[in-house]
Amino acid sequence: RSGRVAVATRELSGWGKTVILDHGDGYLSIYAGLEEFLVNPGISVRQGLPLGRLGAHALHFEIRYGNKSKNTLALLPPR
């Protein structure tokens, strides 16, 4: 979903480079394990826009409502 880049940091312990999108309705999307950032904090991004590049690590993707982790598969649209 579209949102605003709330965080783009390499300082979260154990997560590697991380981007957190704020969707403006209490939901946050977290993308961690990135090799390179393609966005900066504060910018608005549309759904489908690349946020970063992966390297040797697997992507960690998480959806939160406030500070509570949600069932990601239940929230994603069907394919």
Side-chain angles (χ1 to χ4, degrees):
R1 293 179 36 212
S2 299
R4 182 185 57 81
V5 178
V7 174
T9 186
R10 49 181 65 99
E11 297 178 11
L12 293 178
S13 178
W15 285 39
K17 293 180 181 173
T18 302
V19 172
I20 301 176
L21 285 186
D22 182 345
H23 299 287
D25 58 358
Y27 282 94
L28 303 171
S29 297
I30 301 170
Y31 304 81
L34 301 171
E35 180 72 23
E36 177 184 356
F37 295 122
L38 299 177
V39 295
N40 293 309
I43 68 165
S44 293
V45 294
R46 292 186 321 267
Q47 181 175 338
L49 182 76
L51 304 174
R53 295 190 205 287
L54 286 176
H57 302 288
L59 176 69
H60 172 83
F61 175 69
E62 186 175 327
I63 297 175
R64 291 184 177 213
Y65 186 77
N67 63 355
K68 296 189 190 268
S69 186
K70 295 301 201 179
N71 180 343
T72 302
L73 291 177
L75 293 171
L76 293 175
R79 296 190 97 189

